[in-house]
Amino acid sequence: MNDCCSFLDDSNGKELDKVFTDAIVSKDFERYRKHGPRKSSRILISLLEEHRSTQDVSLCDIGSGIGSIAQAFLNYDAITVDVVESSSAYITASQEEASHQGNRSRIAYHHGDYVHLAHELGPRDLMCLDRVICCYPNMDSLVGLSAVNTKSLLAIVIPRDSIFHRALMKSLYLSFKIWGIFRTSPVVPRFYVHRITDIEDTIKWCGLDRLASKTTFFWRIAVYQRSQP
Ligand SMILES: C[S@@+](CC[C@H](N)C(=O)[O-])C[C@H]1O[C@@H](n2cnc3c(N)ncnc32)[C@H](O)[C@@H]1O
């Protein structure tokens, strides 16, 4: 395979399937059942609710995890939801939660790497990447394809881009590595600290402008709106 097509290699999706194991997912599932969506997800949901128009009726949640964004938007009867997930453990947990909430038939599930599925899935009004970009090595492909497929609003949650937050991410990765050695785990979660300026340049290049942003201690939550066709 030549370099220009390297993003079509499925190794990233396969690696993510191994990283987000049953053990990691069941902990997250337990946390979600007890506390609901994380703070950064709650902010993302409220920003989308604030800025979306009533014509925005399709949502695609990429790297949806347990599916907290999908579940929140199913409160609106008119909205159709697609979730895309590389991890089979997360897909199973997300389906279990949707059945528990009586919403299973209202969500279309797509198992795999969004970079491979983007063309087949096509555009949606609202697109979400909630804590996903930092798990994926090829930012340009993931963010670019998501932005191209955004008809109205794209919402992202990424780690804040400062020396302190970069150092924190590196130490977290190191501690996961050490934990992996002791647990003889084959693959440990890997973080990619993509620069915010690179992410925003890609989004802008695809015809979207920043509409709103907020921060928590660790995360930056931002919403972009299509300004050019
Ligand atoms: C840290 S988890 C976040 C899950 C959820 N969005 C949340 O905030 O709780 C990142 C998820 O993104 C998924 N993911 C990362 N890159 C992806 C891609 N290119 N296509 C589909 N899923 C992806 C991973 O499998 C993982 O489940």
Side-chain angles (χ1 to χ4, degrees), residues 16-17 20 28 31 38 40-41 61-69 84-87 90 112-115 129-132 134-136 142:
L16 286 166
D17 202 7
F20 292 96
D28 197 22
R31 188 209 50 76
R38 288 168 198 279
S40 52
S41 304
D61 187 12
I62 301 161
S64 55
I66 300 293
S68 57
I69 311 285
V84 183
E85 236 318 323
S86 292
S87 150
Y90 261 132
D113 183 339
Y114 180 73
V115 168
L129 286 162
D130 182 5
R131 303 189 309 133
V132 179
C134 53
C135 291
Y136 201 76
L142 179 61

Side-chain angles (χ1 to χ4, degrees), residues 27-225:
K27 267 200 178 152
D28 197 22
F29 194 35
E30 227 172 86
R31 188 209 50 76
Y32 176 77
R33 282 265 170 106
K34 264 195 206 147
H35 307 290
R38 288 168 198 279
K39 186 176 178 192
S40 52
S41 304
R42 291 202 305 272
I43 296 173
L44 181 152
I45 292 164
S46 71
L47 285 177
L48 277 183
E49 284 176 332
E50 187 185 336
H51 294 286
R52 85 174 186 97
S53 81
T54 47
Q55 278 109 346
D56 295 335
V57 290
S58 56
L59 174 128
C60 181
D61 187 12
I62 301 161
S64 55
I66 300 293
S68 57
I69 311 285
Q71 293 298 340
F73 277 90
L74 288 172
N75 290 328
Y76 300 92
D77 285 342
I79 290 202
T80 62
V81 175
D82 288 87
V83 311
V84 183
E85 236 318 323
S86 292
S87 150
S88 36
Y90 261 132
I91 290 263
T92 306
S94 175
Q95 288 174 334
E96 192 181 325
E97 183 56 21
S99 302
H100 178 71
Q101 299 198 23
N103 286 328
R104 173 67 185 84
S105 61
R106 292 186 58 206
I107 303 177
Y109 289 91
H110 310 273
H111 181 210
D113 183 339
Y114 180 73
V115 168
H116 292 253
L117 299 171
H119 179 67
E120 175 190 323
L121 283 170
R124 296 290 185 278
D125 298 314
L126 311 171
M127 301 284 288
C128 298
L129 286 162
D130 182 5
R131 303 189 309 133
V132 179
I133 300 168
C134 53
C135 291
Y136 201 76
N138 194 334
M139 183 281 290
D140 278 335
S141 307
L142 179 61
V143 174
L145 288 165
S146 311
V148 163
N149 270 341
T150 300
K151 286 205 263 181
S152 178
L153 301 175
L154 167 69
I156 66 169
V157 177
I158 52 172
R160 288 172 66 176
D161 188 355
S162 72
I163 293 172
F164 168 74
H165 291 93
R166 284 171 170 270
L168 203 58
M169 294 274 282
K170 285 205 173 121
S171 343
L172 261 178
Y173 177 58
L174 205 64
S175 52
F176 276 131
K177 269 235 166 243
I178 295 165
W179 171 76
I181 293 166
F182 287 114
R183 300 283 303 264
T184 55
S185 177
V187 191
V188 295
R190 171 104 200 246
F191 303 114
Y192 299 90
V193 195
H194 304 295
R195 307 248 42 158
I196 174 75
T197 45
D198 294 341
I199 295 173
E200 294 209 320
D201 282 351
T202 303
I203 294 174
K204 200 166 173 48
W205 194 83
C206 297
L208 305 170
D209 283 334
R210 190 180 341 121
L211 193 60
S213 73
K214 288 193 176 175
T215 51
T216 63
F217 170 73
F218 191 75
W219 301 102
R220 179 184 166 87
I221 305 103
V223 172
Y224 303 83
Q225 183 170 44

